[in-house]
Coordinates of all heavy atoms in Angstrom, one line a residue:
S1 N 51.8 -12.9 -28.7 CA 50.7 -12.0 -29.2 C 49.4 -12.7 -29.4 O 49.3 -13.9 -29.9 CB 51.2 -11.5 -30.6 OG 50.1 -10.9 -31.3
K2 N 48.4 -12.0 -28.9 CA 47.0 -12.7 -29.0 C 46.2 -12.1 -30.2 O 45.0 -12.4 -30.3 CB 46.2 -12.3 -27.7 CG 46.8 -12.9 -26.5 CD 45.8 -12.8 -25.4 CE 46.5 -13.6 -24.1 NZ 45.7 -13.5 -22.9
K3 N 47.0 -11.4 -31.1 CA 46.3 -11.0 -32.4 C 46.1 -12.3 -33.2 O 46.7 -13.2 -33.2 CB 47.2 -10.1 -33.1 CG 47.4 -8.7 -32.5 CD 48.5 -7.9 -33.2 CE 48.2 -7.7 -34.7 NZ 49.3 -6.8 -35.2
N4 N 45.1 -12.0 -34.1 CA 44.7 -13.1 -35.1 C 45.6 -12.7 -36.4 O 46.4 -11.6 -36.3 CB 43.3 -13.1 -35.4 CG 42.9 -14.6 -35.9 OD1 43.7 -15.3 -36.5 ND2 41.7 -14.9 -35.7
V5 N 45.6 -13.5 -37.4 CA 46.2 -13.0 -38.6 C 45.1 -12.9 -39.6 O 43.9 -13.2 -39.5 CB 47.1 -14.1 -39.2 CG1 48.3 -14.4 -38.2 CG2 46.4 -15.5 -39.5
I6 N 45.6 -12.1 -40.8 CA 44.4 -11.8 -41.8 C 43.9 -13.1 -42.4 O 44.6 -14.1 -42.5 CB 45.0 -10.9 -42.9 CG1 46.4 -11.5 -43.4 CG2 45.2 -9.5 -42.3 CD1 47.0 -10.6 -44.6
G7 N 42.7 -13.1 -42.9 CA 42.0 -14.3 -43.3 C 41.4 -14.9 -42.0 O 41.4 -14.3 -40.9
E8 N 40.8 -16.2 -42.1 CA 40.3 -16.8 -41.0 C 40.9 -18.3 -40.9 O 40.0 -19.2 -41.1 CB 38.7 -16.8 -41.2 CG 38.1 -15.5 -40.9 CD 36.6 -15.5 -40.8 OE1 36.1 -16.6 -41.1 OE2 36.1 -14.5 -40.6
P9 N 42.1 -18.5 -40.8 CA 42.6 -19.8 -40.8 C 42.2 -20.7 -39.7 O 42.2 -21.9 -39.8 CB 44.2 -19.6 -40.7 CG 44.4 -18.3 -40.1 CD 43.2 -17.5 -40.6
N10 N 41.8 -20.0 -38.6 CA 41.4 -20.8 -37.4 C 40.1 -20.3 -36.9 O 39.8 -20.4 -35.7 CB 42.5 -20.8 -36.3 CG 42.4 -22.1 -35.5 OD1 42.2 -23.2 -36.1 ND2 42.8 -21.9 -34.1
G11 N 39.4 -19.6 -37.8 CA 38.1 -19.2 -37.4 C 38.2 -18.0 -36.3 O 39.0 -17.3 -36.3
D12 N 37.2 -17.8 -35.5 CA 37.2 -16.9 -34.5 C 37.8 -17.4 -33.2 O 37.3 -18.2 -32.6 CB 35.7 -16.5 -34.3 CG 35.5 -15.3 -33.2 OD1 36.5 -14.6 -33.0 OD2 34.6 -15.3 -32.6
T13 N 39.1 -16.8 -33.0 CA 39.8 -17.4 -31.8 C 40.4 -16.4 -30.9 O 40.7 -15.3 -31.4 CB 40.9 -18.3 -32.4 OG1 41.8 -18.8 -31.2 CG2 41.8 -17.6 -33.3
E14 N 40.5 -16.6 -29.6 CA 40.9 -15.6 -28.6 C 42.4 -15.5 -28.7 O 43.1 -14.4 -28.4 CB 40.5 -15.9 -27.3 CG 38.9 -15.7 -27.2 CD 38.5 -15.9 -25.7 OE1 39.2 -16.1 -24.9 OE2 37.2 -15.9 -25.4
W15 N 43.1 -16.7 -29.0 CA 44.6 -16.6 -29.0 C 45.1 -17.6 -30.0 O 45.3 -18.7 -29.8 CB 45.1 -17.0 -27.6 CG 46.6 -16.8 -27.4 CD1 47.5 -16.5 -28.2 CD2 47.1 -16.8 -26.1 NE1 48.7 -16.3 -27.6 CE2 48.6 -16.5 -26.2 CE3 46.8 -17.0 -24.7 CZ2 49.5 -16.4 -25.2 CZ3 47.6 -16.9 -23.7 CH2 49.0 -16.6 -24.0
F16 N 45.2 -17.1 -31.2 CA 45.6 -17.8 -32.4 C 46.9 -18.8 -32.2 O 46.8 -19.9 -32.4 CB 45.8 -17.0 -33.6 CG 46.2 -17.6 -34.9 CD1 45.3 -18.5 -35.5 CD2 47.4 -17.3 -35.5 CE1 45.7 -19.2 -36.7 CE2 47.7 -17.9 -36.8 CZ 46.8 -18.8 -37.3
A17 N 47.9 -18.1 -31.7 CA 49.2 -18.8 -31.6 C 49.2 -19.9 -30.7 O 49.8 -21.0 -30.7 CB 50.3 -17.9 -31.3
K18 N 48.4 -19.7 -29.4 CA 48.2 -20.8 -28.5 C 47.5 -21.9 -29.0 O 47.8 -23.0 -28.8 CB 47.5 -20.2 -27.2 CG 47.4 -21.1 -26.1 CD 46.7 -20.5 -24.9 CE 46.5 -21.5 -23.8 NZ 45.9 -20.8 -22.5
N19 N 46.3 -21.6 -29.7 CA 45.7 -22.7 -30.3 C 46.4 -23.6 -31.3 O 46.1 -24.8 -31.4 CB 44.4 -22.2 -31.2 CG 43.3 -21.6 -30.2 OD1 43.4 -21.7 -29.0 ND2 42.3 -21.0 -30.8
L20 N 47.4 -23.0 -31.9 CA 48.2 -23.8 -32.8 C 49.4 -24.6 -32.1 O 50.0 -25.3 -32.8 CB 48.8 -22.9 -33.9 CG 47.8 -22.2 -34.9 CD1 48.5 -21.4 -35.9 CD2 46.9 -23.3 -35.4
G21 N 49.6 -24.2 -30.8 CA 50.7 -25.0 -30.2 C 52.0 -24.2 -30.1 O 52.9 -24.8 -29.5
F22 N 52.1 -23.0 -30.4 CA 53.4 -22.2 -30.5 C 53.6 -21.6 -29.1 O 54.6 -20.9 -29.0 CB 53.4 -21.2 -31.6 CG 53.4 -21.9 -32.9 CD1 52.3 -21.9 -33.8 CD2 54.5 -22.5 -33.3 CE1 52.4 -22.5 -35.0 CE2 54.5 -23.1 -34.5 CZ 53.4 -23.1 -35.5
T23 N 52.8 -21.9 -28.1 CA 53.1 -21.3 -26.7 C 53.5 -22.6 -25.9 O 53.6 -22.4 -24.6 CB 51.9 -20.7 -26.0 OG1 50.8 -21.6 -26.0 CG2 51.5 -19.4 -26.9
Q24 N 53.6 -23.7 -26.4 CA 54.0 -24.9 -25.6 C 54.9 -25.8 -26.4 O 54.8 -27.0 -26.5 CB 52.7 -25.7 -25.3 CG 51.9 -26.1 -26.5 CD 50.8 -27.0 -26.1 OE1 50.0 -26.7 -25.1 NE2 50.5 -28.1 -26.8
L25 N 56.0 -25.2 -26.9 CA 57.0 -25.9 -27.7 C 58.0 -26.6 -26.6 O 57.9 -26.3 -25.5 CB 57.8 -25.0 -28.5 CG 57.0 -24.3 -29.7 CD1 57.8 -23.3 -30.4 CD2 56.5 -25.4 -30.8
G26 N 58.8 -27.4 -27.2 CA 59.9 -28.1 -26.3 C 59.5 -29.3 -25.7 O 58.4 -29.7 -25.6
E27 N 60.5 -29.9 -25.0 CA 60.2 -31.2 -24.3 C 59.3 -31.1 -23.2 O 58.5 -32.0 -23.0 CB 61.6 -31.7 -23.8 CG 62.6 -32.1 -24.8 CD 62.1 -33.2 -25.8 OE1 61.4 -34.1 -25.3 OE2 62.3 -33.1 -27.0
N28 N 59.2 -29.9 -22.5 CA 58.3 -29.8 -21.5 C 57.1 -28.9 -21.7 O 56.3 -28.6 -20.8 CB 59.1 -29.1 -20.1 CG 60.2 -30.0 -19.7 OD1 60.1 -31.3 -19.6 ND2 61.3 -29.4 -19.4
H29 N 56.8 -28.7 -23.0 CA 55.7 -27.9 -23.5 C 55.7 -26.6 -22.8 O 54.6 -26.0 -22.5 CB 54.4 -28.7 -23.2 CG 54.4 -30.0 -23.6 ND1 54.4 -30.4 -24.9 CD2 54.3 -31.2 -23.0 CE1 54.5 -31.8 -25.1 NE2 54.3 -32.2 -23.8
S30 N 56.9 -25.9 -22.5 CA 57.0 -24.8 -21.7 C 57.5 -23.6 -22.5 O 57.7 -22.5 -22.0 CB 57.7 -25.0 -20.4 OG 59.0 -25.5 -20.8
E31 N 58.0 -23.8 -23.7 CA 58.7 -22.8 -24.6 C 57.8 -22.0 -25.5 O 56.9 -22.7 -26.1 CB 59.9 -23.4 -25.3 CG 60.9 -24.0 -24.4 CD 62.1 -24.6 -25.2 OE1 62.6 -23.8 -26.1 OE2 62.4 -25.8 -25.0
V32 N 57.9 -20.8 -25.6 CA 57.0 -19.9 -26.4 C 57.8 -19.4 -27.5 O 59.0 -19.0 -27.5 CB 56.5 -18.8 -25.6 CG1 55.6 -17.8 -26.4 CG2 55.6 -19.3 -24.4
L33 N 57.2 -19.6 -28.8 CA 58.0 -19.1 -30.0 C 58.2 -17.5 -29.9 O 57.2 -16.8 -29.7 CB 57.1 -19.3 -31.3 CG 57.6 -18.9 -32.5 CD1 58.9 -19.7 -32.9 CD2 56.7 -18.9 -33.7

């Protein structure tokens, strides 16, 4: 999901979850939450 969350925890961002690292989990940085 490229939605933001309420509030502004990461300012103005196009892809909140990606910026936080949740699209590159795992040993090979290839797993998405």
